[in-house]
Short mmCIF file of all heavy atoms in Angstrom, two decimals:
data_model
loop_
_atom_site.label_atom_id
_atom_site.label_comp_id
_atom_site.label_asym_id
_atom_site.label_seq_id
_atom_site.Cartn_x
_atom_site.Cartn_y
_atom_site.Cartn_z
N SER A 62 -4.21 1.82 -2.79
CA SER A 62 -3.53 0.75 -2.03
C SER A 62 -3.70 -0.60 -2.71
O SER A 62 -4.61 -0.77 -3.52
CB SER A 62 -4.19 0.62 -0.64
OG SER A 62 -3.94 1.73 0.15
N PRO A 63 -2.87 -1.55 -2.33
CA PRO A 63 -3.13 -2.96 -2.75
C PRO A 63 -4.52 -3.35 -2.25
O PRO A 63 -4.86 -3.09 -1.10
CB PRO A 63 -2.06 -3.79 -2.02
CG PRO A 63 -0.98 -2.81 -1.69
CD PRO A 63 -1.68 -1.50 -1.44
N GLY A 64 -5.34 -3.92 -3.14
CA GLY A 64 -6.64 -4.42 -2.69
C GLY A 64 -7.70 -3.38 -2.54
O GLY A 64 -8.80 -3.68 -2.04
N SER A 93 3.64 -10.70 -11.72
CA SER A 93 2.38 -11.36 -12.10
C SER A 93 1.67 -10.67 -13.29
O SER A 93 1.99 -9.53 -13.65
CB SER A 93 1.38 -11.47 -10.94
OG SER A 93 0.39 -10.47 -11.02
N ASP A 96 -3.84 -9.22 -13.32
CA ASP A 96 -4.74 -8.11 -13.60
C ASP A 96 -4.91 -7.89 -15.11
O ASP A 96 -6.00 -7.67 -15.59
CB ASP A 96 -4.19 -6.81 -12.98
CG ASP A 96 -4.38 -6.81 -11.47
OD1 ASP A 96 -5.16 -7.62 -10.97
OD2 ASP A 96 -3.74 -6.01 -10.80
N GLY A 114 10.62 -4.32 -9.39
CA GLY A 114 10.78 -4.05 -7.97
C GLY A 114 10.43 -2.63 -7.58
O GLY A 114 10.25 -2.32 -6.43
N GLY A 144 0.02 -0.78 -6.58
CA GLY A 144 -0.77 -0.60 -5.39
C GLY A 144 0.06 -0.01 -4.28
O GLY A 144 0.90 -0.71 -3.69
N ASN A 145 -0.15 1.25 -3.98
CA ASN A 145 0.75 1.94 -3.07
C ASN A 145 0.26 3.38 -2.89
O ASN A 145 -0.12 4.03 -3.86
CB ASN A 145 2.15 1.96 -3.74
CG ASN A 145 3.27 2.33 -2.80
OD1 ASN A 145 3.18 3.30 -2.09
ND2 ASN A 145 4.28 1.49 -2.77
N GLU A 151 4.33 10.59 -5.78
CA GLU A 151 5.52 11.45 -5.99
C GLU A 151 5.92 11.62 -7.44
O GLU A 151 6.80 12.40 -7.77
CB GLU A 151 6.72 10.90 -5.20
CG GLU A 151 6.47 10.94 -3.70
CD GLU A 151 7.47 10.07 -2.92
OE1 GLU A 151 8.45 9.59 -3.52
OE2 GLU A 151 7.27 9.90 -1.73
N PRO A 166 -12.72 -0.37 3.86
CA PRO A 166 -11.99 -1.10 4.93
C PRO A 166 -10.66 -0.46 5.29
O PRO A 166 -10.17 -0.70 6.39
CB PRO A 166 -11.77 -2.49 4.30
CG PRO A 166 -12.80 -2.62 3.23
CD PRO A 166 -12.99 -1.24 2.68
N LYS A 171 -6.87 7.77 6.26
CA LYS A 171 -5.76 7.63 5.34
C LYS A 171 -5.19 8.96 4.82
O LYS A 171 -3.99 9.07 4.65
CB LYS A 171 -6.09 6.66 4.21
CG LYS A 171 -6.17 5.19 4.65
CD LYS A 171 -4.89 4.71 5.31
CE LYS A 171 -5.11 3.54 6.22
NZ LYS A 171 -5.79 3.81 7.51
N LEU A 173 -4.68 11.57 6.42
CA LEU A 173 -3.76 12.08 7.41
C LEU A 173 -2.39 11.42 7.32
O LEU A 173 -1.34 12.01 7.57
CB LEU A 173 -4.29 11.85 8.86
CG LEU A 173 -5.65 12.52 9.18
CD1 LEU A 173 -6.11 12.14 10.56
CD2 LEU A 173 -5.50 14.04 9.06
N LYS A 174 -2.41 10.12 6.96
CA LYS A 174 -1.17 9.35 6.97
C LYS A 174 -0.42 9.38 5.64
O LYS A 174 0.79 9.21 5.58
CB LYS A 174 -1.48 7.88 7.33
CG LYS A 174 -2.00 7.77 8.72
CD LYS A 174 -2.07 6.31 9.08
CE LYS A 174 -2.87 6.09 10.35
NZ LYS A 174 -3.05 4.64 10.57
N TYR A 175 -1.17 9.57 4.56
CA TYR A 175 -0.55 9.61 3.24
C TYR A 175 -1.00 10.87 2.50
O TYR A 175 -1.64 10.81 1.44
CB TYR A 175 -0.95 8.33 2.45
CG TYR A 175 -0.62 7.08 3.21
CD1 TYR A 175 -1.54 6.45 4.01
CD2 TYR A 175 0.68 6.55 3.17
CE1 TYR A 175 -1.24 5.33 4.75
CE2 TYR A 175 1.01 5.42 3.89
CZ TYR A 175 0.06 4.82 4.68
OH TYR A 175 0.38 3.69 5.44
N LYS A 189 -15.99 0.05 -2.27
CA LYS A 189 -16.50 -0.94 -1.30
C LYS A 189 -17.49 -0.31 -0.29
O LYS A 189 -17.51 -0.67 0.87
CB LYS A 189 -15.33 -1.65 -0.53
CG LYS A 189 -14.28 -2.23 -1.48
CD LYS A 189 -13.29 -3.09 -0.81
CE LYS A 189 -12.12 -3.46 -1.78
NZ LYS A 189 -11.09 -4.28 -1.21
N SER B 46 -0.23 -3.42 4.13
CA SER B 46 -0.80 -2.33 3.32
C SER B 46 -1.39 -1.24 4.20
O SER B 46 -1.66 -1.46 5.39
CB SER B 46 -1.99 -2.85 2.49
OG SER B 46 -1.58 -3.72 1.52
N PRO B 47 -1.61 -0.05 3.66
CA PRO B 47 -2.40 0.96 4.39
C PRO B 47 -3.77 0.38 4.72
O PRO B 47 -4.40 -0.24 3.87
CB PRO B 47 -2.56 2.11 3.37
CG PRO B 47 -1.47 1.92 2.37
CD PRO B 47 -1.24 0.44 2.30
N GLY B 48 -4.17 0.52 5.96
CA GLY B 48 -5.52 0.08 6.34
C GLY B 48 -5.67 -1.43 6.52
O GLY B 48 -6.79 -1.93 6.71
N SER B 77 1.79 12.63 10.09
CA SER B 77 0.81 12.51 11.19
C SER B 77 1.39 11.76 12.40
O SER B 77 2.39 11.07 12.30
CB SER B 77 -0.46 11.82 10.71
OG SER B 77 -0.49 10.43 11.05
N ASP B 80 -1.36 7.36 14.87
CA ASP B 80 -1.13 6.00 15.37
C ASP B 80 -0.36 6.02 16.70
O ASP B 80 -0.69 5.26 17.61
CB ASP B 80 -0.33 5.19 14.32
CG ASP B 80 -1.19 4.80 13.15
OD1 ASP B 80 -2.40 4.91 13.24
OD2 ASP B 80 -0.60 4.41 12.12
N GLY B 98 8.90 11.29 3.56
CA GLY B 98 8.45 10.91 2.24
C GLY B 98 8.88 9.52 1.81
O GLY B 98 8.39 8.98 0.85
N GLY B 128 2.80 1.77 5.76
CA GLY B 128 1.79 0.94 5.11
C GLY B 128 2.13 0.80 3.60
O GLY B 128 1.94 1.74 2.86
N ASN B 129 2.61 -0.40 3.22
CA ASN B 129 3.17 -0.55 1.89
C ASN B 129 3.57 -2.03 1.71
O ASN B 129 4.19 -2.58 2.60
CB ASN B 129 4.39 0.36 1.79
CG ASN B 129 4.85 0.55 0.38
OD1 ASN B 129 5.06 -0.38 -0.39
ND2 ASN B 129 5.01 1.83 -0.01
N GLU B 135 11.91 -4.79 0.94
CA GLU B 135 13.26 -4.76 0.38
C GLU B 135 14.33 -4.35 1.41
O GLU B 135 15.50 -4.42 1.12
CB GLU B 135 13.31 -3.73 -0.78
CG GLU B 135 12.42 -4.16 -1.94
CD GLU B 135 12.18 -3.04 -2.95
OE1 GLU B 135 12.79 -1.96 -2.80
OE2 GLU B 135 11.35 -3.23 -3.86
N PRO B 150 -10.28 -7.85 3.01
CA PRO B 150 -10.76 -7.05 1.86
C PRO B 150 -9.73 -6.82 0.78
O PRO B 150 -10.07 -6.51 -0.37
CB PRO B 150 -11.14 -5.71 2.54
CG PRO B 150 -11.35 -6.01 3.96
CD PRO B 150 -10.40 -7.13 4.28
N LYS B 155 -2.92 -11.27 -3.35
CA LYS B 155 -1.82 -10.33 -3.09
C LYS B 155 -0.42 -10.98 -3.16
O LYS B 155 0.50 -10.35 -3.58
CB LYS B 155 -2.04 -9.57 -1.77
CG LYS B 155 -3.18 -8.56 -1.85
CD LYS B 155 -2.97 -7.54 -2.95
CE LYS B 155 -4.25 -6.89 -3.41
NZ LYS B 155 -5.14 -7.75 -4.24
N LEU B 157 0.67 -13.00 -5.20
CA LEU B 157 1.07 -13.05 -6.63
C LEU B 157 1.61 -11.69 -7.06
O LEU B 157 2.51 -11.61 -7.88
CB LEU B 157 -0.12 -13.43 -7.50
CG LEU B 157 -0.75 -14.82 -7.26
CD1 LEU B 157 -1.99 -14.98 -8.13
CD2 LEU B 157 0.28 -15.92 -7.50
N LYS B 158 1.01 -10.63 -6.55
CA LYS B 158 1.38 -9.29 -7.00
C LYS B 158 2.53 -8.66 -6.26
O LYS B 158 3.20 -7.78 -6.77
CB LYS B 158 0.13 -8.37 -6.92
CG LYS B 158 -0.98 -8.84 -7.85
CD LYS B 158 -2.06 -7.76 -7.86
CE LYS B 158 -3.32 -8.31 -8.50
NZ LYS B 158 -4.40 -7.35 -8.36
N TYR B 159 2.66 -9.05 -4.99
CA TYR B 159 3.73 -8.47 -4.16
C TYR B 159 4.54 -9.62 -3.56
O TYR B 159 4.62 -9.77 -2.33
CB TYR B 159 3.13 -7.56 -3.08
CG TYR B 159 2.22 -6.52 -3.68
CD1 TYR B 159 0.87 -6.73 -3.80
CD2 TYR B 159 2.74 -5.32 -4.16
CE1 TYR B 159 0.01 -5.77 -4.40
CE2 TYR B 159 1.93 -4.38 -4.75
CZ TYR B 159 0.59 -4.60 -4.85
OH TYR B 159 -0.22 -3.66 -5.46
N LYS B 173 -9.13 -9.06 9.75
CA LYS B 173 -10.53 -8.75 9.36
C LYS B 173 -11.26 -9.99 8.87
O LYS B 173 -12.06 -9.91 7.94
CB LYS B 173 -10.55 -7.63 8.28
CG LYS B 173 -9.75 -6.40 8.66
CD LYS B 173 -9.97 -5.22 7.75
CE LYS B 173 -8.97 -4.11 8.06
NZ LYS B 173 -9.06 -2.92 7.21
#
Side-chain angles (χ1 to χ4, degrees):
Chain A
S62 292
S93 101
D96 288 343
N145 195 310
E151 296 166 8
K171 290 302 157 288
L173 298 176
K174 295 189 192 173
Y175 306 94
K189 309 189 189 179
Chain B
S46 292
S77 100
D80 287 345
N129 196 308
E135 296 166 8
K155 289 302 157 289
L157 299 176
K158 295 189 193 173
Y159 306 93
K173 309 191 189 178

